[in-house]
Amino acid sequence: MTNNLFVYNTLTRKKERFEPINPPFVGLYACGPTVYGDAHLGHARQAITFDVLFRYLQYLGYKVRYVRNITDVGHLENDADEGEDKIQKKARLESLEPMEVVQHYMNRYRLNMDALNVLNPSIEPRASGHIIEQQELIDKIIEAGFAYEVNGSVYFDVNAYNANHPYGQLSGRKVEDLLSNTRELDGQSEKRNALDFALWKKADQSHIMRWSSKWSDGYPGWHLECSAMSTKYLGMQFDIHGGGMDLLFPHHECEIAQNVAGYGKPAVRYWMHNNMITTNGQKMGRSLGNFITLDQLFAGEHPLLEQAYSPMVIRFFILQAHYRSTLDFSNDALQASEKGLTRLLNAVAALDNIQPSGASSLDVDALAEQCNKAMEDDINTAKLVGHLLGGIPQINKLAEGRDSIAEKELEKLKNLYHTWISTVLGLEQQEAPGKTSEIIGDLISLILQLRDDAKSSRDFETADRIRNKLTSLGITVKDRKDGADWEIS
RNA sequence: GGUCGGUUUGCCGAGUGGCUAGGCGCCGGUCUGCAAAACCGGUUACAGCGGUUCGAAUCCGCUACCGACCUCCA
């Protein structure tokens, strides 16, 4: 299988031709969410970026296994309080089972993803379901001499590793620089080196999520899951690993180190990272508290929002920018996207009304070529969308009969738009159900008001015509003393 | 402080040496009882300074400003 796809590899900082290790199969892994809160716009960007990549690779003919993990271990620790009251502590412990929290936010995440028309990954593994695999990897890393145990916890030995392997390659850092800039944090005393990171942590009394191991009752370090699960489902070496840019260091850096230390070689051929969404130029993030959740966007319920934005508008907004650029959130930008998307989808709908006739003045092949080139150049959806929008005046001309197109060309044109917009970009005509029913209600009220006016002026012919037509549509009109009521049967 | 990236027309946002990106907005037009919508057309910018070049938003240097990562974060 051949392609001209070039992707930007964070590891080499260059665009490289995409050549799968084992065509026609492609292994794709992307870091999913940590499910301790609702997904926000940034999660949408990550998911949509790799959803489009997943779709596009399939469009190119590859058999893709897409693994997107759920992090449900490692971030639920509650390590505040020392001298807490016993009763209060117990209450806290009983208030929520951690897996309840996980289930709750995982369900909500999936609902959000469905709304955004993000396809389900092939496999969606959870860290808590792969404790054994993670422990096995720890064993391997210890055996190889790159980890050590202290008081029931196991740490990765960055110094030992860095002696023969470059630690910091992906994020472009040097161990010396990192060392001189690392803050001294509490609880690092067990580590031999400030850069060392936990592979296994011994759970203290208050820690609820714990598993038994040869080292201690404890829980895995959060970098470990991706190494263990990607290896399990995609093999020791696979094609693409994706995630947000903020995961570059330390998460992905540690992942590489774990793979090399435990399995002897790096797993990933191409590292791809999507950039951040910003608000007023600042990164949107949970810890910064400046994020807008997807549910808030869909409902329009947030102080920063002037209106609700449908999931498809969000999707289109994200696709109008290249995934490696920062994208600034604003109402103006989203409203512009909303109008642009409507224009695009209307044009697609208009395609079906075009009758083929005579010769073609439109060069469909040229447009197809432009679209292909845009995507081949590191998944440039912004450019692709530009080309698709650029073809709209031509489509409108045809739809209005101001131009002609041969049948064969018309089929190509329809196919082109449907393929890119629906299949690859995942943009679908979508109605907001709540809003629609609200409008229908208002609409019927208006019609009944007109009927009342007709009755008042003794124009019973019109009044009956309205009632009969409504009845035939399944809407029963019920005349009452003070106006009319209605019911959908 | 270290490392990396960015600064594009009113707003958003593509673009790596010569060729109109695109969307929104705005202006004009078609249509229309009026308006709106829709459609058509117009709207030529690249932080500053210097350099390379026949030619630079695009390459190089300096300056200014912004951001990301360096700690959990898509």
Side-chain angles (χ1 to χ4, degrees), chain A residues 42-43 46 75 172-173 181 183 222 244 247 277 281 283-284 286-287 322 325 328 339 380 389 393:
Chain A
H43 294 94
Q46 185 277 138
H75 294 169
R173 281 149 220 265
N181 290 309
R183 281 185 241 162
W222 85 291
L247 296 184
I277 290 199
K283 173 188 167 182
M284 192 178 279
R286 274 178 183 159
S287 55
H322 187 251
S325 302
D328 198 49
K339 291 187 178 166
N380 197 328
L389 285 164

Coordinates of all heavy atoms in Angstrom, one line a residue, chain A residues 42-43 46 75 172-173 181 183 222 244 247 277 281 283-284 286-287 322 325 328 339 380 389 393, chain B residues 1-4 11-15 21-25 39-40 67-74:
Chain A
G42 N -10.5 21.1 25.6 CA -9.2 20.5 25.3 C -9.3 19.0 25.1 O -8.6 18.5 24.2
H43 N -10.1 18.4 25.9 CA -10.3 16.9 25.7 C -10.9 16.7 24.3 O -10.6 15.7 23.6 CB -11.2 16.3 26.8 CG -10.6 16.4 28.1 ND1 -10.8 17.4 29.0 CD2 -9.7 15.5 28.7 CE1 -10.1 17.2 30.1 NE2 -9.4 16.1 30.0
Q46 N -8.2 16.9 21.6 CA -7.4 15.7 21.6 C -8.1 14.5 20.9 O -7.6 13.9 20.0 CB -7.0 15.3 23.0 CG -6.0 14.1 23.1 CD -6.7 12.8 23.0 OE1 -6.2 11.8 22.4 NE2 -7.8 12.6 23.7
H75 N -4.5 9.1 40.0 CA -4.8 10.5 40.3 C -5.9 10.6 41.3 O -6.4 11.7 41.5 CB -5.3 11.2 39.0 CG -4.2 11.3 38.0 ND1 -4.4 11.6 36.7 CD2 -2.8 11.1 38.1 CE1 -3.2 11.6 36.1 NE2 -2.3 11.3 36.9
G172 N 13.2 17.2 24.3 CA 14.4 18.1 24.0 C 15.0 18.7 25.3 O 15.3 19.8 25.4
R173 N 15.2 17.8 26.2 CA 15.8 18.2 27.5 C 17.0 17.4 27.8 O 17.2 16.3 27.4 CB 14.8 18.0 28.7 CG 13.7 19.0 28.7 CD 12.5 18.4 29.3 NE 11.3 19.0 28.6 CZ 10.6 20.0 29.0 NH1 10.9 20.6 30.1 NH2 9.6 20.4 28.3
N181 N 16.9 22.6 37.5 CA 15.6 23.3 37.5 C 14.5 22.6 38.2 O 13.4 23.1 38.3 CB 15.1 23.6 36.1 CG 16.0 24.6 35.4 OD1 16.3 25.7 35.9 ND2 16.5 24.3 34.2
R183 N 12.3 21.5 41.2 CA 12.0 22.0 42.5 C 12.1 20.9 43.5 O 11.8 19.7 43.2 CB 10.6 22.5 42.6 CG 10.5 23.9 42.0 CD 9.1 24.4 42.2 NE 8.4 24.6 41.0 CZ 7.1 24.7 40.8 NH1 6.3 24.5 41.9 NH2 6.5 25.0 39.7
W222 N 1.6 6.7 37.3 CA 0.7 6.9 36.2 C 1.4 6.8 34.9 O 0.7 6.7 33.9 CB -0.1 8.2 36.4 CG 0.6 9.4 35.9 CD1 1.7 10.0 36.5 CD2 0.3 10.2 34.8 NE1 2.1 11.1 35.8 CE2 1.2 11.2 34.8 CE3 -0.7 10.1 33.9 CZ2 1.2 12.2 33.8 CZ3 -0.8 11.1 32.9 CH2 0.2 12.1 32.8
G244 N -1.9 15.0 24.0 CA -1.8 16.5 24.1 C -0.3 16.9 24.3 O 0.4 16.1 24.9
L247 N 1.5 16.5 27.6 CA 1.9 15.2 28.1 C 3.3 14.9 27.7 O 3.9 13.9 28.2 CB 0.9 14.1 27.6 CG -0.5 14.2 28.1 CD1 -1.3 13.0 27.6 CD2 -0.6 14.3 29.6
I277 N -5.9 24.3 23.6 CA -6.9 25.4 23.4 C -6.7 26.4 24.4 O -6.4 26.1 25.6 CB -8.3 24.7 23.4 CG1 -8.5 23.9 22.2 CG2 -9.3 25.8 23.5 CD1 -9.9 23.5 21.8
G281 N -5.7 33.7 25.4 CA -4.3 33.4 25.2 C -3.7 32.5 26.3 O -2.5 32.2 26.2
K283 N -3.6 28.8 28.3 CA -4.0 27.4 28.2 C -5.2 27.1 29.0 O -5.3 27.5 30.2 CB -2.8 26.5 28.6 CG -3.1 25.1 28.7 CD -2.0 24.3 29.4 CE -2.4 22.9 29.7 NZ -1.3 22.2 30.4
M284 N -6.1 26.3 28.4 CA -7.3 25.9 29.1 C -6.9 24.6 29.9 O -6.5 23.7 29.3 CB -8.4 25.6 28.1 CG -9.8 25.4 28.7 SD -11.1 25.1 27.5 CE -11.4 26.8 26.9
R286 N -7.6 22.0 33.6 CA -8.3 21.8 34.9 C -7.6 22.5 36.0 O -8.3 23.1 36.9 CB -8.3 20.3 35.2 CG -9.4 19.6 34.5 CD -9.4 18.1 34.8 NE -10.4 17.4 34.0 CZ -10.4 16.1 33.8 NH1 -9.4 15.4 34.1 NH2 -11.4 15.5 33.1
S287 N -6.3 22.4 36.1 CA -5.7 23.0 37.2 C -5.7 24.5 37.2 O -5.5 25.2 38.2 CB -4.2 22.5 37.3 OG -3.6 22.8 36.1
H322 N -5.2 23.9 12.4 CA -4.3 22.8 12.3 C -4.1 22.3 13.7 O -4.0 23.1 14.6 CB -3.0 23.2 11.6 CG -2.1 22.0 11.3 ND1 -1.0 21.8 12.0 CD2 -2.3 20.9 10.5 CE1 -0.4 20.6 11.6 NE2 -1.2 20.1 10.7
S325 N -1.4 23.9 16.0 CA -1.4 25.3 16.4 C -2.3 25.4 17.6 O -3.2 24.6 17.9 CB -2.1 26.1 15.3 OG -1.4 26.0 14.1
D328 N -7.5 29.6 19.9 CA -8.1 30.4 20.9 C -9.6 30.4 20.9 O -10.2 30.6 19.9 CB -7.6 31.9 20.8 CG -7.7 32.7 22.0 OD1 -7.3 32.2 23.1 OD2 -8.3 33.8 22.0
K339 N -21.7 29.6 11.5 CA -22.2 30.0 10.2 C -21.5 29.3 9.1 O -22.1 28.9 8.1 CB -22.1 31.5 10.1 CG -23.0 32.2 11.1 CD -23.0 33.7 10.9 CE -24.0 34.4 11.9 NZ -23.9 35.8 12.0
N380 N -3.7 18.3 7.5 CA -4.0 19.8 7.6 C -5.5 19.9 7.3 O -6.0 20.3 6.2 CB -3.2 20.6 6.6 CG -3.2 22.0 6.9 OD1 -4.2 22.5 7.4 ND2 -2.1 22.7 6.6
L389 N -14.8 24.6 1.4 CA -15.6 25.8 1.3 C -15.4 26.5 0.0 O -16.4 27.1 -0.5 CB -15.2 26.7 2.5 CG -15.7 26.3 3.9 CD1 -15.0 27.0 5.0 CD2 -17.2 26.5 4.1
P393 N -19.3 28.1 -4.0 CA -19.9 28.9 -5.1 C -20.2 28.1 -6.4 O -21.2 28.3 -7.0 CB -18.8 30.0 -5.4 CG -18.1 30.1 -4.1 CD -18.1 28.7 -3.5
Chain B
rG1 P 15.0 35.7 33.0 OP1 15.9 36.3 32.1 OP2 13.6 35.5 32.7 O5' 15.6 34.4 33.6 C5' 16.9 34.3 34.1 C4' 17.3 32.9 34.4 O4' 16.4 32.4 35.4 C3' 17.1 31.9 33.2 O3' 18.3 31.9 32.4 C2' 16.9 30.6 33.9 O2' 18.1 30.1 34.4 C1' 16.1 31.0 35.1 N9 14.6 30.9 34.8 C8 13.8 32.0 34.7 N7 12.5 31.6 34.4 C5 12.6 30.2 34.4 C6 11.6 29.2 34.1 O6 10.4 29.4 33.8 N1 12.1 28.0 34.1 C2 13.4 27.6 34.3 N2 13.7 26.3 34.3 N3 14.4 28.5 34.6 C4 13.9 29.8 34.6
rG2 P 18.1 31.6 30.8 OP1 19.4 31.8 30.2 OP2 16.9 32.2 30.3 O5' 17.8 30.0 30.8 C5' 18.9 29.1 31.1 C4' 18.4 27.7 31.0 O4' 17.3 27.5 31.9 C3' 17.8 27.3 29.6 O3' 18.7 27.0 28.7 C2' 16.8 26.2 30.0 O2' 17.5 25.0 30.2 C1' 16.3 26.7 31.3 N9 15.1 27.4 31.2 C8 14.9 28.8 31.4 N7 13.6 29.1 31.2 C5 12.9 28.0 31.0 C6 11.6 27.7 30.8 O6 10.6 28.5 30.7 N1 11.3 26.4 30.6 C2 12.2 25.4 30.6 N2 11.8 24.2 30.3 N3 13.5 25.6 30.8 C4 13.8 26.9 31.0
rU3 P 18.5 27.4 27.1 OP1 19.8 27.0 26.4 OP2 18.0 28.7 27.1 O5' 17.4 26.3 26.7 C5' 17.7 24.9 26.6 C4' 16.4 24.2 26.3 O4' 15.4 24.4 27.4 C3' 15.6 24.6 25.1 O3' 16.2 24.1 23.9 C2' 14.2 24.1 25.4 O2' 14.2 22.7 25.1 C1' 14.1 24.4 26.9 N1 13.5 25.7 27.1 C2 12.1 25.7 27.0 O2 11.4 24.8 26.8 N3 11.6 27.0 27.3 C4 12.2 28.1 27.6 O4 11.6 29.2 27.8 C5 13.6 28.0 27.6 C6 14.2 26.8 27.4
rC4 P 16.1 25.0 22.6 OP1 16.9 24.3 21.5 OP2 16.3 26.4 22.9 O5' 14.5 24.9 22.2 C5' 14.0 23.7 21.8 C4' 12.5 23.7 21.8 O4' 12.0 24.2 23.1 C3' 11.8 24.7 20.8 O3' 11.8 24.2 19.5 C2' 10.4 24.8 21.4 O2' 9.6 23.7 21.2 C1' 10.8 24.9 22.9 N1 10.9 26.3 23.4 C2 9.7 27.0 23.7 O2 8.6 26.4 23.5 N3 9.8 28.2 24.2 C4 10.9 28.8 24.4 N4 11.0 30.1 24.8 C5 12.2 28.1 24.1 C6 12.1 26.9 23.6
rC11 P -8.2 42.4 14.8 OP1 -7.5 42.6 16.1 OP2 -7.5 42.1 13.6 O5' -9.3 41.3 15.1 C5' -10.0 41.2 16.3 C4' -10.9 40.0 16.3 O4' -11.8 40.1 15.2 C3' -10.2 38.6 16.0 O3' -9.6 38.1 17.2 C2' -11.3 37.8 15.5 O2' -12.2 37.4 16.5 C1' -12.1 38.8 14.6 N1 -11.6 38.8 13.2 C2 -12.0 37.7 12.4 O2 -12.8 36.9 12.8 N3 -11.6 37.7 11.1 C4 -10.8 38.7 10.6 N4 -10.4 38.6 9.4 C5 -10.3 39.7 11.5 C6 -10.8 39.7 12.7
rC12 P -8.3 37.2 17.0 OP1 -7.9 36.9 18.4 OP2 -7.4 37.8 16.1 O5' -8.9 35.9 16.3 C5' -9.7 35.0 17.0 C4' -10.2 33.9 16.1 O4' -10.9 34.4 15.0 C3' -9.1 33.0 15.5 O3' -8.6 32.0 16.4 C2' -9.9 32.3 14.4 O2' -10.8 31.3 14.9 C1' -10.7 33.5 13.9 N1 -10.1 34.2 12.8 C2 -10.2 33.6 11.5 O2 -10.8 32.5 11.4 N3 -9.6 34.2 10.4 C4 -8.9 35.4 10.6 N4 -8.3 35.9 9.6 C5 -8.8 36.0 11.9 C6 -9.4 35.4 12.9
rG13 P -7.1 31.5 16.3 OP1 -6.9 30.4 17.2 OP2 -6.2 32.7 16.3 O5' -7.0 31.0 14.8 C5' -7.7 29.8 14.4 C4' -7.6 29.6 12.9 O4' -8.1 30.8 12.2 C3' -6.2 29.4 12.4 O3' -5.8 28.1 12.5 C2' -6.3 29.9 10.9 O2' -6.8 28.9 10.1 C1' -7.3 31.0 11.0 N9 -6.6 32.3 11.2 C8 -6.4 33.0 12.4 N7 -5.8 34.1 12.3 C5 -5.6 34.3 10.9 C6 -5.1 35.3 10.1 O6 -4.6 36.4 10.5 N1 -5.1 35.0 8.8 C2 -5.6 33.9 8.2 N2 -5.6 33.8 6.9 N3 -6.2 32.9 8.9 C4 -6.1 33.2 10.2
rA14 P -4.3 27.6 12.2 OP1 -4.1 26.3 12.9 OP2 -3.4 28.8 12.5 O5' -4.4 27.4 10.7 C5' -3.3 27.4 9.9 C4' -3.7 27.1 8.4 O4' -4.5 28.2 7.9 C3' -2.5 27.1 7.5 O3' -1.9 25.8 7.5 C2' -3.1 27.5 6.2 O2' -3.8 26.4 5.6 C1' -4.2 28.5 6.6 N9 -3.6 29.9 6.6 C8 -3.4 30.7 7.6 N7 -3.0 31.9 7.3 C5 -2.9 31.8 5.9 C6 -2.5 32.7 4.9 N6 -2.1 34.0 5.2 N1 -2.5 32.3 3.6 C2 -2.9 31.1 3.4 N3 -3.3 30.1 4.2 C4 -3.3 30.6 5.5
rG15 P -0.3 25.7 7.8 OP1 0.0 24.2 7.6 OP2 0.0 26.4 9.0 O5' 0.3 26.5 6.6 C5' 0.0 26.1 5.2 C4' 0.4 27.2 4.3 O4' -0.4 28.3 4.6 C3' 1.8 27.7 4.4 O3' 2.7 26.9 3.6 C2' 1.7 29.1 3.8 O2' 1.7 29.0 2.4 C1' 0.3 29.5 4.3 N9 0.4 30.3 5.5 C8 0.3 29.9 6.8 N7 0.4 30.9 7.7 C5 0.6 32.0 6.9 C6 0.8 33.4 7.2 O6 0.8 33.9 8.4 N1 1.0 34.2 6.1 C2 1.0 33.7 4.8 N2 1.2 34.7 3.9 N3 0.8 32.5 4.5 C4 0.6 31.7 5.5
rA21 P -3.7 35.0 -0.6 OP1 -4.0 35.8 0.6 OP2 -2.3 34.7 -1.0 O5' -4.5 33.7 -0.6 C5' -5.7 33.5 0.0 C4' -6.1 32.1 -0.1 O4' -5.4 31.3 0.9 C3' -7.6 31.8 0.3 O3' -8.5 32.1 -0.8 C2' -7.5 30.4 0.7 O2' -7.4 29.5 -0.5 C1' -6.2 30.3 1.4 N9 -6.4 30.6 2.9 C8 -6.1 31.7 3.6 N7 -6.4 31.6 4.9 C5 -6.8 30.3 5.0 C6 -7.3 29.6 6.1 N6 -7.3 30.1 7.3 N1 -7.7 28.3 5.9 C2 -7.7 27.8 4.7 N3 -7.3 28.4 3.5 C4 -6.9 29.7 3.8
rG22 P -9.8 32.9 -0.6 OP1 -10.6 32.8 -1.8 OP2 -9.5 34.2 0.0 O5' -10.5 32.0 0.6 C5' -11.0 30.7 0.3 C4' -11.5 30.1 1.6 O4' -10.3 29.9 2.4 C3' -12.4 30.9 2.4 O3' -13.8 30.7 1.9 C2' -12.3 30.2 3.8 O2' -12.9 29.0 3.8 C1' -10.7 30.1 3.8 N9 -10.1 31.3 4.3 C8 -9.5 32.3 3.6 N7 -9.1 33.3 4.4 C5 -9.4 32.9 5.6 C6 -9.2 33.6 6.9 O6 -8.7 34.6 7.1 N1 -9.7 32.8 8.0 C2 -10.4 31.6 7.8 N2 -10.8 31.1 9.0 N3 -10.6 31.0 6.7 C4 -10.1 31.7 5.6
rG23 P -14.9 31.9 2.2 OP1 -16.1 31.6 1.5 OP2 -14.2 33.2 2.1 O5' -15.1 31.7 3.8 C5' -15.8 30.5 4.2 C4' -15.9 30.5 5.7 O4' -14.6 30.6 6.3 C3' -16.6 31.7 6.3 O3' -18.0 31.6 6.2 C2' -16.1 31.7 7.7 O2' -16.7 30.7 8.5 C1' -14.6 31.4 7.5 N9 -13.8 32.6 7.3 C8 -13.3 33.0 6.1 N7 -12.6 34.1 6.2 C5 -12.7 34.4 7.6 C6 -12.1 35.5 8.3 O6 -11.4 36.5 7.9 N1 -12.4 35.5 9.6 C2 -13.2 34.5 10.2 N2 -13.4 34.6 11.5 N3 -13.7 33.4 9.5 C4 -13.4 33.5 8.2
rC24 P -18.9 32.8 5.9 OP1 -20.3 32.4 5.8 OP2 -18.3 33.6 4.8 O5' -18.7 33.7 7.3 C5' -19.3 33.2 8.5 C4' -18.8 34.1 9.6 O4' -17.4 34.2 9.7 C3' -19.2 35.6 9.5 O3' -20.6 35.8 9.8 C2' -18.2 36.2 10.5 O2' -18.6 36.0 11.8 C1' -17.0 35.4 10.2 N1 -16.1 36.1 9.2 C2 -15.4 37.3 9.6 O2 -15.5 37.6 10.8 N3 -14.6 37.9 8.7 C4 -14.6 37.5 7.5 N4 -13.8 38.2 6.6 C5 -15.3 36.4 7.0 C6 -16.1 35.7 7.9
rG25 P -21.4 37.0 9.2 OP1 -22.7 37.1 9.8 OP2 -21.3 36.8 7.7 O5' -20.6 38.3 9.5 C5' -20.6 38.8 10.9 C4' -19.6 40.0 11.0 O4' -18.3 39.6 10.6 C3' -20.0 41.1 10.1 O3' -21.0 42.0 10.6 C2' -18.6 41.9 10.0 O2' -18.4 42.6 11.2 C1' -17.7 40.7 9.9 N9 -17.3 40.3 8.6 C8 -17.8 39.2 7.9 N7 -17.3 39.0 6.7 C5 -16.5 40.1 6.5 C6 -15.7 40.6 5.4 O6 -15.6 40.0 4.3 N1 -15.0 41.7 5.7 C2 -15.1 42.4 6.9 N2 -14.4 43.6 6.9 N3 -15.8 42.1 7.9 C4 -16.5 40.9 7.7
rC39 P -25.6 30.9 0.8 OP1 -24.9 29.6 0.8 OP2 -25.2 32.0 1.7 O5' -25.6 31.5 -0.7 C5' -26.0 30.7 -1.8 C4' -26.2 31.5 -3.0 O4' -27.2 32.5 -2.7 C3' -25.0 32.4 -3.4 O3' -24.0 31.7 -4.1 C2' -25.7 33.5 -4.2 O2' -26.0 33.0 -5.5 C1' -26.9 33.7 -3.4 N1 -26.8 34.8 -2.4 C2 -26.9 36.1 -2.9 O2 -27.1 36.3 -4.1 N3 -26.7 37.1 -2.0 C4 -26.5 36.8 -0.7 N4 -26.3 37.9 0.2 C5 -26.4 35.5 -0.2 C6 -26.5 34.5 -1.1
rC40 P -22.5 32.0 -4.0 OP1 -21.8 31.0 -4.7 OP2 -22.2 32.5 -2.6 O5' -22.5 33.3 -4.9 C5' -22.7 33.3 -6.3 C4' -22.6 34.6 -6.9 O4' -23.7 35.5 -6.4 C3' -21.4 35.4 -6.6 O3' -20.3 35.0 -7.5 C2' -21.8 36.8 -6.9 O2' -21.9 37.1 -8.2 C1' -23.2 36.8 -6.3 N1 -23.2 37.2 -4.9 C2 -23.2 38.6 -4.6 O2 -23.1 39.4 -5.5 N3 -23.2 39.0 -3.3 C4 -23.3 38.1 -2.3 N4 -23.3 38.5 -1.0 C5 -23.4 36.7 -2.6 C6 -23.3 36.3 -3.9
rG67 P 1.3 35.5 28.4 OP1 0.1 35.6 29.3 OP2 2.6 35.9 29.0 O5' 1.4 34.0 27.8 C5' 0.3 33.4 27.3 C4' 0.8 32.2 26.5 O4' 1.8 32.5 25.6 C3' 1.4 31.0 27.3 O3' 0.4 30.3 27.9 C2' 2.0 30.2 26.2 O2' 1.1 29.5 25.4 C1' 2.6 31.3 25.3 N9 4.0 31.6 25.6 C8 4.6 32.6 26.2 N7 5.9 32.6 26.3 C5 6.2 31.4 25.7 C6 7.5 30.8 25.4 O6 8.6 31.2 25.7 N1 7.3 29.5 24.8 C2 6.1 29.0 24.4 N2 6.2 27.8 23.8 N3 5.0 29.6 24.6 C4 5.1 30.7 25.2
rA68 P 0.7 29.4 29.2 OP1 -0.6 29.0 29.8 OP2 1.7 30.0 30.0 O5' 1.4 28.1 28.5 C5' 0.7 27.2 27.7 C4' 1.5 26.1 27.2 O4' 2.6 26.7 26.3 C3' 2.3 25.4 28.2 O3' 1.6 24.4 28.8 C2' 3.5 24.9 27.4 O2' 3.1 23.7 26.6 C1' 3.8 26.0 26.5 N9 4.8 27.0 27.0 C8 4.6 28.2 27.7 N7 5.7 28.8 28.0 C5 6.7 27.9 27.6 C6 8.1 28.0 27.7 N6 8.7 29.1 28.3 N1 8.8 27.0 27.2 C2 8.1 26.0 26.6 N3 6.8 25.8 26.5 C4 6.1 26.8 27.0
rC69 P 1.8 24.0 30.3 OP1 0.7 23.1 30.7 OP2 1.9 25.3 31.1 O5' 3.1 23.3 30.3 C5' 3.3 22.0 29.6 C4' 4.7 21.6 29.6 O4' 5.4 22.6 28.8 C3' 5.4 21.6 30.9 O3' 5.2 20.5 31.7 C2' 6.9 21.7 30.4 O2' 7.3 20.5 29.9 C1' 6.8 22.7 29.3 N1 7.0 24.1 29.7 C2 8.3 24.5 29.8 O2 9.2 23.7 29.5 N3 8.6 25.8 30.3 C4 7.6 26.6 30.6 N4 7.9 27.8 31.0 C5 6.2 26.2 30.5 C6 6.0 24.9 30.1
rC70 P 5.1 20.6 33.2 OP1 4.7 19.3 33.7 OP2 4.3 21.8 33.6 O5' 6.6 20.9 33.6 C5' 7.6 19.9 33.2 C4' 9.0 20.4 33.5 O4' 9.3 21.6 32.8 C3' 9.2 20.8 35.0 O3' 9.4 19.7 35.8 C2' 10.5 21.7 34.8 O2' 11.6 20.9 34.7 C1' 10.2 22.4 33.5 N1 9.7 23.7 33.6 C2 10.6 24.8 33.7 O2 11.8 24.5 33.6 N3 10.2 26.0 33.9 C4 8.9 26.3 34.0 N4 8.5 27.5 34.1 C5 7.9 25.2 33.9 C6 8.4 24.0 33.7
rU71 P 9.1 19.7 37.3 OP1 8.9 21.1 37.8 OP2 10.2 18.9 37.9 O5' 7.8 18.9 37.3 C5' 7.5 17.9 38.3 C4' 6.1 18.1 38.8 O4' 6.0 19.4 39.4 C3' 5.1 18.1 37.7 O3' 4.6 16.8 37.3 C2' 3.9 19.0 38.2 O2' 2.9 18.3 38.8 C1' 4.7 19.9 39.2 N1 4.7 21.3 38.8 C2 3.5 22.0 38.9 O2 2.5 21.4 39.3 N3 3.5 23.3 38.6 C4 4.7 24.0 38.1 O4 4.5 25.2 37.9 C5 5.9 23.2 38.0 C6 5.8 21.9 38.4
rC72 P 4.0 15.7 38.2 OP1 3.8 16.2 39.5 OP2 4.7 14.5 37.9 O5' 2.5 15.5 37.5 C5' 1.6 14.5 38.1 C4' 0.2 14.9 37.9 O4' 0.0 16.2 38.6 C3' -0.2 15.3 36.5 O3' -0.5 14.1 35.8 C2' -1.5 16.1 36.8 O2' -2.5 15.2 37.1 C1' -1.1 16.9 38.0 N1 -0.7 18.2 37.6 C2 -1.7 19.2 37.6 O2 -2.9 18.8 37.8 N3 -1.4 20.5 37.3 C4 -0.1 20.8 37.0 N4 0.1 22.1 36.7 C5 0.9 19.8 37.0 C6 0.6 18.6 37.3
rC73 P -0.7 14.2 34.2 OP1 -1.3 12.9 33.8 OP2 0.5 14.7 33.6 O5' -1.8 15.3 33.9 C5' -3.1 15.1 33.3 C4' -3.8 16.4 33.1 O4' -3.1 17.4 33.9 C3' -3.7 17.0 31.7 O3' -4.9 16.7 30.9 C2' -3.7 18.5 31.9 O2' -4.9 19.1 31.8 C1' -3.2 18.6 33.3 N1 -1.9 19.4 33.4 C2 -2.0 20.8 33.4 O2 -3.1 21.3 33.4 N3 -0.8 21.4 33.5 C4 0.3 20.8 33.6 N4 1.4 21.5 33.7 C5 0.4 19.4 33.6 C6 -0.7 18.7 33.5
rA74 P -6.1 15.8 31.2 OP1 -7.3 16.2 31.9 OP2 -5.5 14.5 31.6 O5' -6.5 15.8 29.7 C5' -6.5 14.6 28.9 C4' -5.9 15.0 27.5 O4' -6.7 16.1 27.0 C3' -4.5 15.4 27.6 O3' -3.6 14.4 27.6 C2' -4.4 16.3 26.4 O2' -4.1 15.6 25.2 C1' -5.8 16.9 26.3 N9 -5.9 18.3 26.8 C8 -5.9 18.7 28.1 N7 -6.0 20.0 28.2 C5 -6.1 20.5 26.9 C6 -6.2 21.8 26.3 N6 -6.3 22.9 27.1 N1 -6.2 21.9 25.0 C2 -6.1 20.8 24.3 N3 -6.0 19.5 24.7 C4 -6.0 19.4 26.0

